[in-house]
């Protein structure tokens, strides 16, 4: 599993998860996401395009953490990039705030948050 946090624009940070989003990775992902959300006041773009292994526990921990972070900071915007249909559907069914957006490609997400204008 690889976790990365990078500034994507002046208002968004990219939080990328590669490899696993399952019961073994869930605690690490949860702790890293909380840390990333508290680094600064930026919004979060969570990139799940390179997930190879996913299970219900991993998705539940991720979505539960996102819901908690938004409850703590209602101005926080969160978007997911999930090209895998099954993962995107699991995120859609999760109990997250309505403000959370799920994109099906990184390019679509980057266009939406205005990264193309910053490049």
């Amino acid at each position: 599993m690889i976790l990365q946090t990078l500034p994507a624009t002046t208002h968004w940070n990219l939080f990328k998860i590669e490899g696993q989003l399952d019961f073994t990775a869930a605690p690490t992902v949860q702790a890293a996401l909380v840390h990333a959300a508290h680094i600064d006041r930026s919004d979060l773009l969570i990139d799940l395009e390179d997930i190879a292994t996913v299970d219900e526990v991993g998705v539940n921990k991720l979505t539960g953490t996102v819901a908690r972070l938004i409850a703590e900071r209602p101005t926080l915007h969160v978007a997911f990039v999930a090209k895998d249909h099954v993962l995107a559907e699991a995120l859609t069914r999760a109990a997250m705030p309505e403000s959370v957006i799920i994109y099906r490609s990184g390019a679509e997400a980057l266009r939406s948050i205005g990264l193309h204008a910053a490049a």
Side-chain angles (χ1 to χ4, degrees):
M1 173 184 55
I2 298 172
L3 300 170
Q4 299 175 29
T5 303
L6 305 165
T9 70
T10 57
H11 187 62
W12 289 85
N13 281 335
L14 174 66
F15 183 79
K16 183 169 181 65
I17 304 170
E18 295 180 52
Q20 297 169 254
L21 180 58
D22 58 13
F23 73 97
T24 60
T28 303
V29 169
Q30 184 177 30
L33 182 57
V34 169
H35 176 73
H38 291 101
I39 289 174
D40 58 27
R41 302 301 285 180
S42 295
D43 295 323
L44 291 172
L45 176 61
I46 303 172
D47 184 348
L48 306 174
E49 282 191 305
D50 295 320
I51 295 293
T53 305
V54 64
D55 67 17
E56 186 176 342
V57 173
V59 171
N60 289 341
K61 284 284 190 183
L62 177 63
T63 57
T65 302
V66 166
R68 184 173 53 107
L69 290 170
I70 292 172
E72 291 171 2
R73 191 174 94 198
T75 59
L76 176 66
H77 292 96
V78 176
F80 287 97
V81 177
K83 69 179 179 182
D84 179 80
H85 178 73
V86 174
L87 180 54
E89 287 298 316
L91 293 171
T92 301
R93 287 190 308 273
M96 289 187 294
E98 290 182 19
S99 62
V100 174
I101 301 169
I102 301 167
Y103 296 104
R104 296 303 304 269
S105 74
E108 176 189 11
L110 295 177
R111 275 192 309 277
S112 180
I113 67 172
L115 187 60
H116 66 285

